[in-house]
Amino acid sequence: MSEELGFTLDGRRIPFQDGQTVMAAALAAGVYIPHLCFNPDFAPHGSCRVCLVKVNGRFQASCTTPAASGLTVQSETEELRNIRRGILQMLFVEGNHVCPACEKSGACQLQAVAYYVGMLNPHFSHFYPRRPVDASHAEAVIDFNRCILCELCVRASRDVDGKNIFAVQGRGIQAHLVVNTPSGKLGATHFSIHDKAAQVCPTGAILTKHQGYNVPIGQRLYDRKPINVVGDVAQLPESKGGRRHD
Amino acid sequence: MIEAKLKIATCSLAGCFGCHMSLLDLDERLFDLTERMELDRSPLTDIKELGECDVGLIEGGVCNAENVHVLMEFRARCKILVAIGACALNGGIPAMRNQFDLKECLEESYVRGIGLVNAQIPNDPEIPLLLNKVHPLHEVVKIDYFLPGCPPSADTIWTFINELLSGQPIALSYTQIHYD
Ligand code: SF4
Ligand code: SF4
Ligand code: FES
């Protein structure tokens, strides 16, 4: 009889199945590792680096590291918390995040993860980039100011919806999200708010119209409890304040 | 021995006075506070000259030349400088103009605005010169503490001031930290 496979995460034994990543195994065991570009419905992307952990003393993204027997993984340490906070601060200053004027506020995964890692200020100098808002679609709006390039909409539209509506263009600091039409407008695509791509954005970049501020402050998804308790907005059904279609 | 009261100053730069409203939301707790602290320059006292202070609370970002001057003065005279609210931390709503040129912004309201007669951009020397961009406080001077929120609740401010006065590390609860 073979032993159950397992590794150690912050001193706790986490069982795993062959092929699972450290992130997936931790999630299945009910242990939260902060993440933004990871969504269990999709192949890992490894781009945001918020899920950084130390595996046998080396920094690794937990969403792309295969689980293996005997690994010693650290996650909730002061060192990792500081690095994660720095990553969040960079994500905030790189875009334009005016939470008081954002419909997603209170149910935003980016914001909730920032709370989780104890981000009290942006620390860095703001870029204040000039980015457009696309309200050309009848049912949805894209505010590019809030896009963190996690490519979840890209993956969802390509791999689930079969529409390939989104793409990331450019490299490095020039990288930006584009809509695959000659005009670059969402209204010129077959995008629908029933698409998977409409349910996965961890920020307020892709919003459904006519729903803003429906939930009073104090009752929004992350108002009372942190994200490690509540779960990801994209994973929770709409009836529970999430974005996933019931 | 009578302990000297701590001196505290407050001001609103490019803010909406919402954070000061939150401060007033302390209600009866303000009496308790005045036992322990003395207000120096603040919109609540009408003292014009900033004295040497222990703590300075600043609401709002920096949008014009006068804001820069006041902020530098606060930094020079306050031992501890606290940025309060979204605008002080990241520019907030006023910084939404940063995506546009200053000229575009001024023309939008003073030249192309609806119902204008004799439209022109105001240039009275009494009006402080606008900066090209609105900046959060930490981009101009060193800030010792940050209290996020639009505005931070009275409870957040209360917890902060109490822990500061008692020399404790500042530990805000989950519901006391929000960006909106
Ligand atoms: S997307 Fe999230 S973090 Fe960005 S402004 Fe909206 S609520 Fe704030
Ligand atoms: S729009 Fe949203 S889902 Fe798409 S890349 Fe940007 S942040 Fe990610
Ligand atoms: S969640 Fe692992 S890199 Fe983004």
Side-chain angles (χ1 to χ4, degrees), chain A residues 88 91-92 95-112 114-115 119 143 145-148 201-207 220, chain B residues 90 179-180:
Chain A
L88 262 296
L91 286 173
F92 270 82
N96 292 303
H97 293 276
V98 191
C99 296
C102 179
E103 290 181 15
K104 192 72 182 180
S105 196
C108 167
Q109 191 179 342
L110 175 65
Q111 192 185 57
Y115 293 162
M119 184 183 119
D143 188 335
N145 293 290
R146 303 169 185 154
C147 175
I148 56 166
C201 182
T203 77
I206 301 182
L207 291 171
R220 300 168 309 180
Chain B
N90 60 28
Y179 301 158
D180 60 1

Side-chain angles (χ1 to χ4, degrees), chain A residues 13 15 21 23-24 65 67 75 92 103 127 202 218 246:
Chain A
R13 192 185 146 81
T21 58
M23 170 70 81
T65 303
S75 175
F92 270 82
E103 290 181 15
F127 287 22
D246 296 298

